[in-house]
Amino acid sequence: MTADELRSLITAGLPCEHITMEGDGRHWFATIVSPSFEGKRLIQRHQLVYATLGDRMKTDEVHALSMKTFTLAEWAAAQD
C-alpha cells in the first residue's frame, strides 16, 4: 500500500478538506480534516476513517494507522 493509495481510499469514502499521509508502507500517520468530524468524539472520527478502509485493516494491507483528526474550525485554529 502506498501513501497515494491510502489517501485515495480515505478521500473516496470521506470528504476531506486536507489530508497528509506519512509512513513506511505498513505503519502510517495521517492528518485528516473533514466536515464529517463536526460534533463527533475522537473515537467516532477514527471509526469513520477506519470504515473507509473496510477489511484492509483486518487483512493487514494497512498494518497500523495513527491519525490526528480535525474539524474545519479546529484546523483553522491550529494554523494560527
Side-chain angles (χ1 to χ4, degrees), residues 15-22 29-38 45 67-80:
C16 297
E17 291 292 320
H18 174 84
I19 182 170
T20 59
M21 192 71 54
E22 299 173 30
F29 176 79
T31 300
I32 304 168
V33 181
S34 175
S36 297
F37 297 151
E38 194 67 45
R45 295 175 184 195
M67 63 188 106
K68 288 187 180 180
T69 55
F70 298 90
T71 64
L72 301 177
E74 290 167 344
W75 182 247
Q79 301 310 299
D80 290 336

Side-chain angles (χ1 to χ4, degrees), residues 1-76:
M1 179 81 56
T2 68
D4 287 338
E5 290 171 327
L6 192 52
R7 186 181 302 107
S8 292
L9 287 169
I10 294 170
T11 58
L14 187 68
C16 297
E17 291 292 320
H18 174 84
I19 182 170
T20 59
M21 192 71 54
E22 299 173 30
D24 62 10
R26 290 186 40 82
H27 300 91
W28 297 99
F29 176 79
T31 300
I32 304 168
V33 181
S34 175
S36 297
F37 297 151
E38 194 67 45
K40 303 270 192 297
R41 294 174 304 171
L42 183 61
I43 188 71
Q44 292 171 314
R45 295 175 184 195
H46 288 201
Q47 289 169 336
L48 284 173
V49 176
Y50 288 138
T52 68
L53 301 176
D55 288 337
R56 288 172 183 87
M57 294 293 291
K58 296 177 190 170
T59 61
D60 210 33
E61 280 184 74
V62 179
H63 178 72
L65 175 63
S66 299
M67 63 188 106
K68 288 187 180 180
T69 55
F70 298 90
T71 64
L72 301 177
E74 290 167 344
W75 182 247

